[in-house]
Amino acid sequence: MAQQARAIRTRRMILESAATVFAERGYERTTIGEILMRAGVTKGALYFHFASKEDLALGVLDAQMLDVPLTPQEVKLQELADQAFLLTHRLQHDALVRASVALALDSGAISVDRAAPFQVWVDQVSEILMVSKARGELLPHVSVTDTAELFSGAFTGVQTMSQIMCDRADLAHRVGVLLQHLVPSICTPALLTRLDLTENRARQLGIEYDTSRRRRDEALADTHS
């Protein structure tokens, strides 16, 4: 059990090291040797977890995906906002998630399937919107696919602009503005007052997410001790 726990920590350390080097040098210029030096592990340890540099990159890209599920909401459309606000929190506080997004936008990483995280994000948003539509939360004209792709693309642009201008310090505010403009165009008016689209929601979700992850990690450590 202790050996398995060490393997989990080693894998995370290798991913974080690879993410840092990818962010500093770009994917194509990064070498396995640089990642090994940064991680302080042997080549055998790295290849035990990852078959290649491309496999490492895919692992970094996967870091964008939630490892603790969102809390279901009475109004399903709130979960759309919560997806955005929680990713906002993670972009501001998790270096691996920041590096994952940077890699997804690295046009030089031509050998990596950078479309995958975008498609996963679109699929997650589409699932929320489909349930919202079935519950009568959306206006009749709303196209689930078009709205999911618009929302995903708009978030990407907003977070990129925030990163360039102030290292994402104002990202929660910018995402709140995005939601306050987008959601009324798709939501049944009677539900708008029941939605929290303010940047305070990002802080609340961040606290809940960090607490859930800490409890999960503590439980995992207890299991493997």
Side-chain angles (χ1 to χ4, degrees), residues 73-80 128 131-132 135 137:
Q73 299 297 314
E74 183 179 354
V75 179
K76 188 68 177 180
L77 204 52
Q78 180 67 57
E79 294 177 27
L80 176 70
I128 291 171
V131 175
S132 296
R135 292 182 180 180
E137 296 177 1

Side-chain angles (χ1 to χ4, degrees), residues 49-191:
H49 294 281
F50 303 99
S52 63
K53 187 173 81 168
E54 181 179 354
D55 194 27
L56 260 171
L58 294 174
V60 172
L61 288 173
D62 283 345
Q64 294 178 49
M65 304 302 107
L66 282 176
D67 51 0
V68 175
L70 280 170
T71 301
Q73 299 297 314
E74 183 179 354
V75 179
K76 188 68 177 180
L77 204 52
Q78 180 67 57
E79 294 177 27
L80 176 70
D82 289 355
Q83 286 267 13
F85 280 137
L86 190 49
L87 183 52
T88 293
H89 171 79
R90 297 173 73 219
L91 280 167
Q92 290 177 320
H93 296 94
D94 190 327
L96 182 54
V97 175
R98 289 195 294 274
S100 177
V101 169
L103 180 59
L105 298 175
D106 182 357
S107 60
I110 56 177
S111 61
V112 179
D113 180 14
R114 296 183 297 120
F118 289 102
Q119 190 58 57
V120 170
W121 175 254
V122 169
D123 290 345
Q124 290 176 344
V125 173
S126 295
E127 183 178 350
I128 291 171
L129 290 172
M130 282 189 290
V131 175
S132 296
K133 192 159 193 172
R135 292 182 180 180
E137 296 177 1
L138 301 185
L139 295 171
H141 71 276
V142 174
S143 163
V144 166
T145 300
D146 288 347
T147 303
E149 292 182 348
L150 172 65
F151 178 69
S152 302
F155 182 93
T156 299
V158 164
Q159 75 84 19
T160 301
M161 184 176 180
S162 178
Q163 181 217 346
I164 292 170
M165 295 188 71
C166 60
D167 197 26
R168 299 192 179 95
D170 66 354
L171 183 55
H173 172 72
R174 289 181 183 273
V175 170
V177 172
L178 169 64
L179 290 165
Q180 289 159 27
H181 281 72
L182 175 66
V183 173
S185 71
I186 65 172
C187 179
T188 303
L191 290 178

Side-chain angles (χ1 to χ4, degrees), residues 36-49:
L36 289 172
M37 289 182 61
R38 187 67 60 95
V41 299
T42 65
K43 185 178 293 187
L46 185 148
Y47 282 116
F48 175 80
H49 294 281

